[in-house]
Amino acid sequence: MIRYFQQQDEDSVIRIWLEASAITHSFIPRSYWESKVPDMRNKYLPQSQTLVNEDEHTNEITGFISLIGNYIAALFVSPDRQGQGIGHSLMTRIKLQHPELELNVYAENTQALTFYKRQGFTITSEQTDKQTGRQEFTMKYQLDA
């Protein structure tokens, strides 16, 4: 079930973000992601509109998507639940509300690049992430583009 983020979801969302970030961004030291936990808790989550996917049987949060306007700031699925359509479901829900979307993704994150391309996103620019020094792409989605 997809629903809006509630304060009691915070620890689960941050745990998913940290674990999935460390795995999918293995080209960046885990310590970098760990250092960002306070920002995630105190800055990014509060300023975002976040939807969570909650397992209807266990009530476990299995994934989430966070937006700031039309910008997808985060889309993460619990590592042990990836490949089950959770990310697709979250993206489908957001597309119903936002006919135009934008995001940044690391060039080395080939799994995410493939996912976003399947979702109809196209690469519009390439730049270097100032915080990590890694190459990233800006991708955009536009309904009926």
Side-chain angles (χ1 to χ4, degrees):
M1 164 181 69
I2 295 174
R3 62 168 174 78
Y4 284 100
F5 172 87
Q6 298 169 2
Q7 192 60 42
Q8 66 262 27
D9 302 328
E10 183 179 72
D11 289 342
S12 295
V13 165
I14 290 172
R15 179 186 46 76
I16 290 169
W17 168 81
L18 178 59
E19 292 307 315
S21 291
I23 293 169
T24 60
H25 305 114
S26 60
F27 45 89
I28 298 171
R30 182 181 175 94
S31 58
Y32 171 80
W33 301 111
E34 290 170 346
S35 76
K36 296 297 180 188
V37 168
D39 286 343
M40 187 71 171
R41 185 178 310 279
N42 302 316
K43 182 178 176 184
Y44 299 121
L45 277 175
Q47 72 182 9
S48 300
Q49 172 196 13
T50 299
L51 295 174
V52 299
N53 189 81
E54 181 179 28
D55 185 293
E56 295 177 24
H57 303 291
T58 64
N59 296 328
E60 172 191 13
I61 304 301
T62 58
F64 72 97
I65 189 166
S66 295
L67 283 94
I68 301 171
N70 288 332
Y71 181 79
I72 299 175
L75 171 57
F76 289 94
V77 174
S78 182
D80 63 338
R81 299 295 294 268
Q82 291 181 5
Q84 298 178 10
I86 295 167
H88 176 77
S89 294
L90 288 163
M91 184 65 74
T92 299
R93 174 77 174 268
I94 290 301
K95 285 179 178 177
L96 292 173
Q97 300 168 354
H98 299 268
E100 294 183 20
L101 293 164
E102 184 176 84
L103 57 85
N104 287 341
V105 62
Y106 288 108
E108 294 164 278
N109 190 350
T110 56
Q111 183 179 358
L113 279 169
T114 300
F115 172 80
Y116 291 127
K117 286 178 181 178
R118 281 196 320 253
Q119 293 296 317
F121 284 78
T122 57
I123 296 171
T124 57
S125 64
E126 181 177 349
Q127 59 279 338
T128 300
D129 178 41
K130 291 179 175 75
Q131 293 187 30
T132 63
R134 307 305 258 198
Q135 288 303 111
E136 66 178 3
F137 297 121
T138 297
M139 300 184 80
K140 292 187 179 179
Y141 165 83
Q142 186 169 352
L143 185 63
D144 299 325

